[in-house]
Amino acid sequence: MRAPRALGRSLAVAAIALGAVLGGAQAASAHDSLVSTSPASGDTVSTVSEVTLDFSANLLGYDGGNIVVVLGPDGRHYEADCVALAGPTLSVPVELGAPGDYTVEWRAVSSDGHPVSGTFPFTSTAAGTSVGSDDSPCASAVGSAAAPAEAASSETGGPSGLTVGLLVGGGVVVLVGVLVVVIVRTRPREE
């Protein structure tokens, strides 16, 4: 009668351990998220000298990994310099041109090492002095990093190394639990 009870306890312990490991893998795969922007998505502004993006955690500062591009109604670039990183904030100076709809395309290296990306629009009502540029002032970083949309697709390319490690570790815990049950069940009993 003790064998089925011991087997049940061992399986319960193994299931709890596996659940803890898999639950940790899920939490570890959460990426940082964009919390706010200035100008805000959809805002109508009369002047803008800088675009800022605030994230939920400090970003990693890999060269070329963090990109902010500001495209005008004519499809030209209006960022005046490369993006700057300060903890959870990305910022880029801008010199806007004609009034109209502008689009900010961004990519950031999340604190877990994975890229996150997106876009947001804003509208300018004042005529600026800039005529924009065909290329970003940081064209080498933008070109080597591809477009933010492509970065997002690489994010879903497969599990991270941490997730794989946690899954393998969970499998080892379950295997050890099964081995303990087998050893306990096959040991001769003293009468």
Side-chain angles (χ1 to χ4, degrees):
M1 281 297 193
R2 284 211 247 168
R5 218 178 263 169
L7 176 62
R9 275 190 241 135
S10 296
L11 290 175
V13 167
I16 290 170
L18 182 61
V21 168
L22 293 177
Q26 186 67 15
S29 68
H31 304 304
D32 301 333
S33 59
L34 183 62
V35 175
S36 65
T37 64
S38 177
S41 179
D43 265 3
T44 298
V45 297
S46 59
T47 61
V48 173
S49 61
E50 182 178 67
V51 170
T52 61
L53 295 86
D54 293 311
F55 291 84
S56 59
N58 289 346
L59 302 173
L60 298 180
Y62 294 134
D63 290 337
N66 298 312
I67 299 169
V68 177
V69 173
V70 181
L71 299 172
D74 54 2
R76 296 174 63 86
H77 288 264
Y78 287 91
E79 62 273 16
D81 201 353
C82 295
V83 67
L85 170 63
T89 303
L90 292 177
S91 60
V92 65
V94 296
E95 295 174 0
L96 300 183
D101 295 331
Y102 286 77
T103 302
V104 177
E105 297 179 358
W106 59 269
R107 182 185 71 190
V109 181
S110 188
S111 62
D112 66 359
H114 287 92
V116 292
S117 63
T119 63
F120 67 90
F122 70 91
T123 301
S124 173
T125 58
T129 58
S130 177
V131 294
S133 172
D134 288 334
D135 296 316
S136 172
C138 300
S140 62
V142 173
S144 68
E150 291 175 26
S153 68
S154 71
E155 177 182 333
T156 59
S160 71
L162 178 62
T163 301
V164 171
L166 290 171
L167 290 172
V168 169
V172 169
V173 168
V174 170
L175 180 61
V176 168
V178 169
L179 287 174
V180 166
V181 169
V182 169
I183 291 170
V184 167
R185 290 194 72 199
T186 59
R187 259 185 24 195
R189 297 188 186 263
E190 293 180 24
E191 293 185 33

